[in-house]
Each structure stands twice: as structure tokens, then as C-alpha cells.
Amino acid sequence: GNNVKVIVQLIKASEESHAWADEYNRNWNDVFSVQSEVAQTIASELKAKLTPEEKQLIEKIPTTDLAAYDSYLNGWSYLRKNNIDDLKTALKYFERAIDKDPKFTLAYVGISLTWRWLQQLGDVQSGEAAPKAMAAVMSAIELDSTSAEAQCQLAVLKLFEMWDWKGAESGFKKTIALNPNYADAYKAYASTLIYTGRKEEAMEQIDIALKLDPLNPLIKVNYGLDLIYVNKYDKALIVLQEILRMNPSNQTAISNIPLAYHLLGKYKEGFESWKLYYNTSYKDFVHVFDKGFAMGGYTDALNLEADNLVAQSKTAYFLPTEIAILYACAGNKKRALDMLESAYDVRDPNLVALRQPIYDCLRNEPRFQDLCRKMNLPYE
């Protein structure tokens, strides 16, 4: 029935010795109370002093509707897979959670997250996704302005949708003040710092995120991207490939492995990775990598594929930054700059990554520098 037994054991890992154990027989409807009781008991056994704020966070009940909570957890299980099909499934679960509990703050945050990722992965345009993402997060904040998750997502939207670097940084600092143990806030704060050229500070923040939640695939994939920014391409490749072993459909990992290979000068492996990414993530588009390679090797393959995607983009949406990267890797500076300027016009969220090393070949171009100035980004 609704009866549940929870057995908790605390082990001192360094000695592999038993430290403490207890058993809880409860009704499933008290699941949040059990979580709170277990957390506070363990803290007491460890002689950790909880601040009033920490105690309040532990005792906070996200929803009184367990069916809504179940839908929310299902939503997150799909969200973490980080590909378009699973994101659409996640959105349905988050919406189902709202149907069951219209005051469920975290479910609104999940909806906002999902719309932003669908936009960032190129499934929907900014004009459609951004207003829905913002409306959902504002609903969350209206319900609970002290929610670290909601404040963090608002800061994320300031970063990716508004290109408001100072507002985003302030938002992440506010989030961390609300919940110093919320790993996602450090991850997103690291992204803000890396995009604006503060590399050392960024790596400090992503390290904190990894320590707080080391097995989180979303944090690990961001770590892989940050390593590319600091020119540690071999290490980035190891991290991104590790993610794919856990989740072969992680679109962010698949899309950045070709960049790591390219920056390492491993063009053979890069070529195969480009093909895998586009054939996996853009099944509805025709791809011409092999034709281009037969014509003139790696560079011609990327250039022809970019031309091909530009032609198809007249009837179907495709992120301009995706095409810009292909042109940049092919050494086609003019066409790469054309696509980056197009990305600015359509508010492509991935334009925040304008400082990534893949664009180093463009850094001395006046058009590139003008674009950086328009976005208030340093271009050196």
C-alpha cells in the first residue's frame, strides 16, 4: 500500500567503517518529512551545525501533491538526457505536474528550462521560445521569490536571451546566497564568466559545481565546454566522451566533440564526428559531408555542408551559429561572419559563445570586433 520503510546507513568511506544507521517506517504521503528527518539526523550525527536558512531549505516541501511531484521527477529524468525528443517529453511531464498542482514552483522552472534548451538546440526560434520561458519563470518567482531554482533560471534567461552579463552575474550571486549548495547556480555562473573572458574565475565556479554534484551530466557537459575555452582540448574530449558513454544521445556533448578534434588538428576524427552529430541531431536535413570530402577533403566537406544548410534554411529553421562554426572551421571567414551577423539578428542564444576558440580565426576581423562591441563582449 502506502507504507514505506527507509533504511539509512552512514559509512565513513576512508575507513570503510559503519558510522550510524537507522530505520524509518512511514506512510508514503510523508515522504518529504522523511527526507527532512533523515537529512537533519545525519547532520546531527556528523556534528554539523545547520544554519536557520539551511534548516528551512531542508524542511521546505515543494508540493503536497505526490502525483505532481512524480511527474516533475519524470520531467527531470528526460530533461537530463539533453536532446530534442527527450526535451519534448520532459515538457509534457512538467505541464502535467502544473495541471495537478498549479502552485508547484519547481514545475514552472522545469517548463522554462525546457523551452530555453529547445531553443538552444535549434528546435524552436527565439521569438517562440523566449517569451514562454520567461512567462514560466516569472510564474515561479511570483509563487516563491526565495526559490533558488527560479532565481537561477531567471539569471540564465538574462544571460542567453538578453545578453545582460551584469544582470546574469548578479542573479547567480543572489541564487548562491539563497542556497549555497545549489550546484546548477555555480555551473551557470561559470558560463557567464567564461563567455566574458574571466577564465580563471569560471573554472573556480565549475569546480565548486562538480564537487557539489559530481555525477550530474548537465554539470559535466558544461565542464567539458569550459575546458575548450581554456584550451584544454584533450581533457575536454575525455570529459565529453565520458558523457556520451553514460548518455549516447546528449546533444551538447555530440556537438562539441568535433570542435575539440578540430582544435587539436585531428581532422580525420573531426570529420567523422561532424557527420555523426548532424546525422543524429538534424535527421530532417539533407547532409553532403561525403560529397564534399570526395571533392576536396576536410575543408571542402565543411564548406559544402555549410552552403547546403544555408540553402535548406530558407524553408526550415537552423541555428545560424551552427553554420558559422562550419564556415569558420573551413576557413571561410566572410561566410562565417555573415552567419554570425544573422545570428545576432535572430537572437540566436548560442551567440553568447562568441569568444570560443573556434572563432579565433575571425578575431582580427573588423566585422567580428563590431559584433563583439554590439554584444558588449571583449574580443581580444
Side-chain angles (χ1 to χ4, degrees):
N2 283 332
N3 295 324
V4 59
K5 176 183 284 190
V6 182
I7 301 172
V8 187
Q9 184 181 16
L10 189 62
I11 296 170
K12 190 170 184 179
S14 60
E15 300 173 3
E16 294 187 11
S17 61
H18 168 86
W20 165 84
D22 208 344
E23 178 180 306
Y24 301 82
N25 293 286
R26 298 288 189 277
N27 185 285
W28 179 245
N29 293 328
D30 295 329
V31 59
F32 298 118
S33 298
V34 175
Q35 287 181 185
S36 173
E37 188 178 347
V38 169
Q40 293 189 59
T41 303
I42 290 175
S44 175
E45 289 294 324
L46 290 171
K47 296 180 172 55
K49 293 182 179 179
L50 294 176
T51 66
E53 291 79 12
E54 287 171 329
K55 192 171 185 293
Q56 188 177 11
L57 283 170
I58 288 173
E59 293 175 347
K60 197 170 188 177
I61 296 176
T63 176
T64 56
D65 190 314
L66 288 180
Y69 191 61
D70 192 53
S71 292
Y72 170 75
L73 293 178
N74 270 299
W76 259 103
S77 71
Y78 282 97
L79 189 76
R80 285 185 173 218
K81 295 179 182 180
N82 196 17
N83 65 78
I84 289 171
D85 289 340
D86 286 318
L87 285 172
K88 290 178 178 178
T89 302
L91 186 61
K92 291 177 183 177
Y93 275 112
F94 289 134
E95 289 173 341
R96 193 177 302 170
I98 294 298
D99 288 340
K100 297 178 185 298
D101 181 2
K103 294 184 177 181
F104 191 176
T105 300
L106 295 181
Y108 285 103
V109 175
I111 289 171
S112 181
L113 270 167
T114 308
W115 276 114
R116 192 192 71 74
W117 282 4
L118 284 171
Q119 177 192 356
Q120 194 162 7
L121 295 183
D123 185 64
V124 289
Q125 296 190 48
S126 179
E128 178 186 354
K132 292 178 179 178
M134 183 59 75
V137 79
M138 293 313 296
S139 293
I141 288 173
E142 186 177 338
L143 286 166
D144 182 4
S145 62
T146 66
S147 165
E149 293 86 351
Q151 292 293 345
C152 184
Q153 177 59 9
L154 179 59
V156 165
L157 294 181
K158 288 181 178 179
L159 173 62
F160 286 97
E161 305 297 345
M162 303 176 189
W163 304 335
D164 177 5
W165 319 114
K166 290 182 179 179
E169 181 173 3
S170 175
F172 293 128
K173 287 180 177 178
K174 180 177 181 178
T175 301
I176 291 166
L178 286 169
N179 184 357
N181 293 318
Y182 185 44
D184 280 13
Y186 296 95
K187 172 200 74 173
Y189 186 21
S191 295
T192 305
L193 294 168
I194 209 93
Y195 294 149
T196 53
R198 295 155 64 184
K199 296 179 183 180
E200 289 185 8
E201 293 175 76
M203 298 313 291
E204 289 171 4
Q205 295 301 316
I206 195 67
D207 283 345
I208 295 172
L210 285 167
K211 286 175 183 175
L212 287 169
D213 198 354
L215 299 181
N216 187 325
L218 303 179
I219 291 175
K220 287 182 76 75
V221 80
N222 265 55
Y223 177 52
L225 305 190
D226 292 343
L227 288 169
I228 290 177
Y229 270 87
V230 296
N231 311 117
K232 295 183 178 180
Y233 310 129
D234 280 316
K235 192 171 182 180
L237 201 54
I238 292 169
V239 171
L240 295 172
Q241 288 171 335
E242 181 184 336
I243 292 163
L244 286 188
R245 283 194 290 274
M246 295 187 293
N247 175 17
S249 64
N250 187 303
Q251 195 164 327
T252 304
I254 296 172
S255 67
N256 281 276
I257 284 176
L259 305 189
Y261 276 128
H262 179 88
L263 292 163
L264 284 166
K266 296 183 176 181
Y267 302 125
K268 180 181 177 181
E269 296 90 339
F271 175 70
E272 295 302 325
S273 298
W274 286 116
K275 286 202 303 180
L276 174 64
Y277 168 51
Y278 281 100
N279 288 325
T280 301
S281 301
Y282 294 97
K283 301 183 182 73
D284 296 334
F285 285 77
V286 176
H287 303 293
V288 293
F289 281 105
D290 289 325
K291 180 180 178 182
F293 193 84
M295 289 170 53
Y298 178 77
T299 298
D300 280 11
L302 300 191
N303 207 60
L304 186 64
E305 175 68 10
D307 288 343
N308 169 57
L309 293 174
V310 169
Q312 293 182 75
S313 294
K314 294 175 182 176
T315 55
Y317 179 64
F318 199 91
L319 288 166
T321 48
E322 295 269 3
I323 303 173
I325 287 172
L326 285 171
Y327 278 131
C329 291
N332 192 336
K333 295 181 181 181
K334 179 184 180 304
R335 295 295 290 132
L337 289 165
D338 288 343
M339 296 313 301
L340 289 176
E341 288 168 350
S342 176
Y344 181 86
D345 292 338
V346 300
R347 305 290 295 186
D348 183 333
N350 294 321
L351 198 59
V352 295
L354 202 57
R355 290 180 50 83
Q356 66 173 303
I358 214 74
Y359 295 133
D360 280 352
C361 62
L362 307 175
R363 214 157 299 283
N364 293 327
E365 298 292 322
R367 290 170 65 190
F368 184 86
Q369 294 175 4
D370 285 344
L371 193 55
C372 286
R373 278 190 286 268
K374 285 164 69 176
M375 294 187 67
N376 199 27
L377 282 172
Y379 56 79
E380 293 86 355

